[in-house]
Amino acid sequence: MRTQVVIIGAGPSGLLLGQLLTRAGIDNVILEQRSADYVLGRIRAGVLEQGMVDLLAEAGADARLRELGLVHEGFSIGFGERSFRIDLKGLTAGKTVTVYGQTEVTADLMSARHEAGSEVIYAAEDVSPMDFDGGHPIVSFRKDGKGYEIRCDFIAGCDGFHGVCRRSVPSKALSLFERIYPFGWLGVLVDQPPAAHELVYANSERGFALCSMRSPKRSRYYVQVSASERAEDWSDDRFFDELRRRVPKDVADSVRAGAAIEKSIAPLRSFVAEPMRFGRLFLAGDAAHIVPPTGAKGLNLAASDIRYLFDALREHYRDGSDAGLEAYSKRALARVWKAERFSWWMTGLLHRFPESSGFDQRMQLAEFEYLCASRAASMSVAENYVGLPY
Ligand code: APR
Ligand code: PHB
């Protein structure tokens, strides 16, 4: 088999790149180790920056998003009983974010790919990117017990944090930067109207909490838990009781409990691998970097990587220029590190750290009060939350 670009991984990064390439007339094959149902079963964040919305439009996968996505002009930060609204629209000259689940983004991209007549090879085993240092990369894999090889011009490593692509790079060619936080987020999805019409992030004595949503009828809630906690030990009652104790009273009174459709604990991590290109292998999305979910940057960073990578590949095939491919890693990392900073900062502002002293807590309070009192400070939060320019 031969194609122009082999994409490894059919998460949002791989599907988005595949769809953009197909529409630009660039041949591509997507290899995914899991089944389509498994990929669609993963519940993840759901706040889209405008750049992501624009890319989905360019990929021809934005019809449901336009119909069902909720445009949000602000969000609130609770601090004990106090609350402060970040007026995203007012502070950024009109920018907003769109609340729309990543699971839906994935489903829309899958159907767009299907309609375009391109398929994903699911349940591909032992996927191995090879020879990407030279001019002729090959990707081998097994499917239904048979071995295959695809020759290609480029490999896009869109295979997430645990994928094979980053691991295929000689370790001396990689620099890794990491912070693991000593807590996780216990998340619950429930078919009940959201507690508030905008997202509420809360710092409380008992730890962080977040009230989010997927639609006017479906809510997504999180509470910070210690890293050793198990989701099975949290009944729905225990979860909602804890959530209500962590958010300002007016929000707590509006939280509608229900039977959890999904309940799981996600660890919090900051991670960056540098560089993001090795010869003809390009890493994008979670394969190259992870942010803690505070700030909702994970999916949006995957989108900016794909923006840069797609533009670079199109330039290569259409204009015969490799300038974009040469610049890819540097360009993507510049934006990645700014989102890492923002996610790390928001995590630090809103969580209880096990070792945190009275001094640290006073610092969080001072930071919150500065935010409430300074337009410059809240503008900084707003411009990062809606997404820095590409
Ligand atoms: N071979 C083939 N596919 C693989 C392999 C492999 N060896 N390893 C992993 N994959 C697949 C996974 O099964 C997954 O479907 O790669 C896909 C990677 O998808 P994601 O983890 O969703 O990563 P990405 O597409 O970059 O999306 C980034 O997802 O985790 C969130 O916060 C993150 O929102 C961000 C977004
Ligand atoms: C979510 O809705 O799942 C969500 C929203 C905002 C975040 C993280 C997660 O910062």
Side-chain angles (χ1 to χ4, degrees):
M1 264 195 267
R2 158 145 196 107
T3 189
Q4 290 175 302
V5 182
V6 172
I7 299 169
I8 303 180
S13 302
L15 288 167
L16 188 55
L17 179 63
Q19 189 57 16
L20 292 166
L21 290 174
T22 299
R23 284 171 73 103
I26 300 168
D27 271 355
N28 62 92
V29 171
I30 304 185
L31 296 173
E32 164 60 51
Q33 68 176 359
R34 306 284 189 169
S35 68
D37 284 345
Y38 181 94
V39 171
L40 278 178
R42 292 189 291 229
I43 306 290
R44 277 148 173 193
V47 177
L48 312 187
E49 295 172 359
Q50 192 56 44
M52 174 72 177
V53 172
D54 294 345
L55 264 185
L56 286 167
E58 207 171 316
D62 66 329
R64 284 176 73 237
L65 166 75
R66 300 227 172 267
E67 185 192 341
L68 302 171
L70 308 170
V71 174
H72 281 209
E73 300 182 354
F75 70 90
S76 293
I77 298 181
F79 213 96
E81 266 318 306
R82 297 165 63 190
S83 182
F84 181 68
R85 179 172 185 267
I86 303 285
D87 175 9
L88 294 173
K89 194 172 183 182
L91 292 163
T92 61
K95 296 194 178 130
T96 55
V97 292
T98 302
V99 172
Y100 188 69
Q102 180 174 323
T103 313
E104 306 307 318
V105 170
T106 308
D108 296 348
L109 285 165
M110 279 180 177
S111 28
R113 186 165 179 90
H114 185 68
E115 275 161 33
S118 308
E119 292 300 334
V120 176
I121 302 178
Y122 286 100
E125 294 170 69
D126 300 332
V127 175
S128 312
M130 295 179 299
D131 298 344
F132 46 82
D133 247 1
H136 305 285
I138 296 179
V139 180
S140 67
F141 66 100
R142 299 184 66 74
K143 165 102 184 160
D144 301 329
K146 275 178 71 182
Y148 298 87
E149 279 193 356
I150 313 180
R151 284 173 299 120
C152 59
D153 302 331
F154 301 103
I155 302 171
C158 299
D159 51 350
F161 182 66
H162 299 287
V164 64
C165 291
R166 194 181 66 249
R167 278 190 280 119
S168 307
V169 174
S171 58
K172 62 180 189 318
L174 268 181
S175 299
L176 306 181
F177 303 89
E178 183 168 48
R179 166 151 307 177
I180 295 175
Y181 300 86
F183 40 74
W185 278 18
L186 169 62
V188 158
L189 190 66
V190 62
D191 273 331
Q192 288 286 359
H197 68 284
E198 292 180 343
L199 270 59
V200 180
Y201 293 81
N203 176 322
S204 89
E205 271 174 15
R206 302 179 65 88
F208 169 81
L210 168 61
C211 302
S212 180
M213 66 192 74
R214 290 288 176 274
S215 75
K217 292 187 186 152
R218 183 170 278 192
S219 307
R220 179 69 167 162
Y221 294 112
Y222 298 94
V223 295
Q224 170 188 354
V225 293
S226 81
S228 57
E229 223 40 71
R230 295 173 344 147
E232 306 84 85
D233 295 334
W234 286 79
S235 65
D236 296 342
D237 284 348
R238 181 180 173 203
F239 177 87
F240 282 102
D241 184 49
E242 187 60 40
L243 175 72
R244 288 192 180 105
R245 289 159 159 238
R246 295 187 184 192
V247 295
K249 186 167 181 314
D250 59 320
V251 180
D253 288 345
S254 309
V255 169
R256 296 223 218 153
I261 312 169
E262 198 262 358
K263 193 185 284 159
S264 57
I265 296 182
L268 269 71
R269 181 196 300 268
S270 299
F271 171 84
V272 181
E274 290 185 348
M276 287 169 63
R277 175 212 180 156
F278 309 88
R280 289 174 170 261
L281 169 67
F282 294 82
L283 300 180
D286 278 19
H289 42 74
I290 298 286
V291 286
T294 336
K297 289 288 161 242
L299 178 59
N300 293 301
L301 270 191
S304 53
D305 290 352
I306 297 304
R307 166 88 274 163
Y308 299 135
L309 185 54
F310 168 63
D311 287 347
L313 289 167
R314 189 172 47 180
E315 244 173 70
H316 169 87
Y317 287 108
R318 193 184 59 190
D319 313 328
S321 161
D322 282 351
L325 292 173
E326 299 295 342
Y328 170 71
S329 177
K330 200 167 166 226
R331 206 181 257 175
L333 282 167
R335 193 169 190 279
V336 164
W337 275 113
K338 291 186 194 109
E340 290 283 349
R341 185 205 68 82
F342 179 64
S343 309
W344 160 84
W345 175 83
M346 223 170 137
T347 302
L349 171 69
L350 296 172
H351 291 76
R352 275 293 130 128
F353 288 71
E355 73 279 12
S356 91
S357 63
F359 179 84
D360 297 313
Q361 287 164 27
R362 283 291 191 280
M363 282 296 121
Q364 286 185 330
L365 179 59
E367 188 92 51
F368 175 72
E369 287 185 340
Y370 176 52
L371 205 56
C372 300
S374 159
R375 188 172 162 87
S378 48
M379 268 175 96
S380 162
V381 172
E383 73 170 349
N384 278 280
Y385 198 86
V386 299
L388 295 174
Y390 281 9

